[in-house]
């Protein structure tokens, strides 16, 4: 069965510093990969997704992620974090590597931003 | 972007009663909707796939008789927690994809927090 691992439960980053959130997946073929952000009182918002093609994906709010097949990873990065980026971040994979299916989520990483 | 709305946002009920949560796609049609359950500090657990006009597909370990799902139209899916107990207290989230856009974004509702006393 597919699974997604986010090794870091909680990360604190200083405002203005760079950020990298880790995500590893288990699946033999090229997966459909996603990063979502969840802020308190709000629904999940899609930051970016990878289906195929260029392994460096640009998303909203200045985020990017890089798909590395050799490492089974899809880490999320941002060069300069803003206080408003404090939230819960979820990595997800499309189940069965099929379009139109449900997403399987990692356990999430809580991002805190210090001033 | 497309909007998915859930109602109610939060509900408190007594043990043994049933609670219905609605999930609506406000500005698009969705042939398929997904229901998730989120525990505190935990990931989203897929409960079931709701298909318009047909029976829902439940994940292993999810009691279909306790969590009744109905997808009567292309814009509405409902989750009914029957004979709720305190252990059913959780945050329930629905999601939907625009019909026909298989590679499209999955849009999420803001969630419904259920507390069973």
């Amino acid at each position: 069965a597919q699974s997604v691992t986010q090794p870091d439960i909680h990360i604190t980053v200083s405002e203005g510093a760079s950020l990298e959130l880790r995500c590893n997946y288990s699946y033999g073929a090229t997966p459909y990969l996603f990063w979502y952000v969840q802020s308190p009182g709000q629904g999940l918002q899609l930051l970016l997704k990878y289906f195929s093609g260029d392994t460096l994906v640009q998303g909203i709010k200045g985020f990017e992620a890089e798909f590395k097949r050799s490492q089974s990873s899809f880490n999320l990065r941002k060069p300069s974090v803003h206080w408003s980026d404090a939230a819960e971040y979820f990595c997800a994979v499309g189940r069965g590597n099929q379009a139109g299916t449900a997403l399987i989520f990692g356990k999430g990483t809580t991002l805190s931003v210090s001033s | 972007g497309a909007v998915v709305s859930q109602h109610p946002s939060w509900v408190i009920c007594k043990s043994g009663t049933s609670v219905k949560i609605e999930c609506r796609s406000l500005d698009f049609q969705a042939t398929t909707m997904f229901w998730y359950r989120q525990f505190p500090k935990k990931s989203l657990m897929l409960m079931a796939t709701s298909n318009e006009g047909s029976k829902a597909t439940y994940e292993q370990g999810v009691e279909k008789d306790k969590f009744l799902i109905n997808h009567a139209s292309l814009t509405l899916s409902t989750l009914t927690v029957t004979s709720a107990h305190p252990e059913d207290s959780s945050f329930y989230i629905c999601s939907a994809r625009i019909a026909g856009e298989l590679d499209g974004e999955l849009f999420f509702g803001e969630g419904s927090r259920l507390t069973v006393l």
Side-chain angles (χ1 to χ4, degrees), chain A residues 36 38 49 95 99-100 103 106, chain B residues 36 38 43 59 102-103 106:
Chain A
Y36 280 84
Q38 184 182 35
K49 63 183 179 182
R95 187 167 65 174
L103 301 186
Chain B
Y36 290 84
Q38 186 177 32
S43 178
E59 296 300 302
L102 293 182
D103 285 350
L106 202 59

Side-chain angles (χ1 to χ4, degrees), chain B residues 100-116:
Chain B
E101 294 188 8
L102 293 182
D103 285 350
E105 177 179 347
L106 202 59
F107 298 97
F108 286 80
E110 294 183 356
S112 299
R113 183 164 301 284
L114 170 63
T115 301
V116 184

Side-chain angles (χ1 to χ4, degrees), chain B residues 64-99:
Chain B
K64 59 182 65 177
D65 293 332
K66 165 167 277 296
F67 299 101
L68 300 180
I69 292 173
N70 183 272
H71 195 153
S73 78
L74 288 172
T75 59
L76 174 65
S77 175
T78 60
L79 168 67
T80 301
V81 183
T82 63
S83 186
H85 287 89
E87 58 265 31
D88 299 324
S89 298
S90 194
F91 196 54
Y92 294 89
I93 303 174
C94 73
S95 64
R97 186 177 282 114
I98 297 174

Side-chain angles (χ1 to χ4, degrees), chain B residues 2-3 14 25 27 30 33-34 39-40 45 50 55 57 61 64 67 71 74 86 91 93 106 111:
Chain B
V3 178
K14 293 182 178 180
S25 53
D27 48 4
M33 292 183 174
F34 304 99
F39 297 92
M45 181 194 77
S50 172
K55 291 183 179 180
T57 304
K64 59 182 65 177
F67 299 101
H71 195 153
L74 288 172
F91 196 54
I93 303 174
L106 202 59

